[in-house]
Amino acid sequence: MSRRTISTRRRSAGWIATRIIELADGRCFSHPGNYTAYLESKAIRQQIAEQSERRRQRFLRVELEWVRSGVRAQRSKARHRMDTFYQVAGLEAPPEEREMDLLIPPAPELGNIAVNVAEAGAKVGKGAGERWLFHGLTFALKPGECTGVVGRNGVGKTTLLRTCMGERAPDEGVVTIGKKVTFNYIDQARMQLNGANSVLDEISGGSETILFGDQRLSARSYLRRFLFTDERVKEPVDHLSGGERARLMLAKVLRRGGNVLVLDEPTNDLDLPSLRMLEEALADFDGSVLVVSHDRYFLDRICDQIVSFEDGGVFVQPGNYSYYLEKRKERAQREKPATDTATKPLTLEPESASPKPDRPRKLSFKEQREFAGMEAAIHAAEARAAEIETALNDPNFYTTRAKEAPGLIAELEATKTEVARLYARWEELDRIAR
């Protein structure tokens, strides 16, 4: 089962989430905090699991020599040691988290400019219902650069994509497409998958090889890069999970190649490993990329310029999404004084009138008691975490207390999470108390 969070939108998880629920390997993990805290907690959990597995393997190597020596389990001590060996050997190792090796065919030679948009505009409707989606828009798509398009639904983002690809003529201005440009368009609906086909047939049409750009590759080895095992490629598409279907669609679409990728909401339905691999593949792509997305983190990692549909028009800003937000804030601050002066009515106030300063918030009685006991609570949690780690690192642990390992590992993870929460709460109360 692929790892996913209930919220697949990292931008939402990073901004507003106070808890992340992760489904992994048939288990459910609860991580307090936002997306960043979830990644930190998950890394700690994986590190603990890896350390425990190394200790288990070290114990098994030592005990295996003893078992192979032919010792008879007639005495109670030898019988107990033998039972412990088989018990530890029967523990399931933590599953290996495989990485998807997402590939995009090398981009054919493109030239200096892929698409040049000059004073372009597009409108919809007729007569009294006619309105402009955008006008006077100028920007260029260049090799090795990614352009992100952002804005509310229905403002004209998809229309802009179609205009850049030449599928729709602009209502004003000029859109020039390079002679060597080959588009590869992934729309919101994407292509349809045939549920009755096997994964292999869907990607290769029954052949053992596929055309990868201008090369021929083994269909099975290509699918393995997208985490489909040789057994899984024989399964019908209808039996795939949502994340697997999204990976299969990426594999099917991206192999077509092209030197200008046009992506309309490509992050929909992708699990986190697939999304991370897509980001890295696009960042290394030598062609040009034009992408519509609402995922801030995705745009931050891959974009070199942002085309933003706002209430006041369409703005082009070099840089990634975070830099665009900084510049938009500066723009709003520059425009605000003029707006306030124009709209605020002139009123005469008494000279003695002055705004009342906000009274600083103080700790409530309950918060004071919590703050007073916070240091002791942190010390107790840290002491318990150290105690568990000492037990798990004891070479004799798996000989005498193997059954306790899963419970102690889970408790250690929960204790470390609680320590992080207590420190954050302590800092919050300390700020209020000052």
Side-chain angles (χ1 to χ4, degrees), residues 74-85:
Q74 294 178 345
R75 296 179 177 272
S76 58
K77 185 175 181 179
R79 185 166 55 252
H80 174 72
R81 185 174 177 180
M82 187 77 74
D83 291 343
T84 301
F85 168 79

Side-chain angles (χ1 to χ4, degrees), residues 65-79:
E65 296 179 3
W66 177 79
V67 171
R68 286 175 175 174
S69 66
V71 178
R72 295 183 179 181
Q74 294 178 345
R75 296 179 177 272
S76 58
K77 185 175 181 179
R79 185 166 55 252

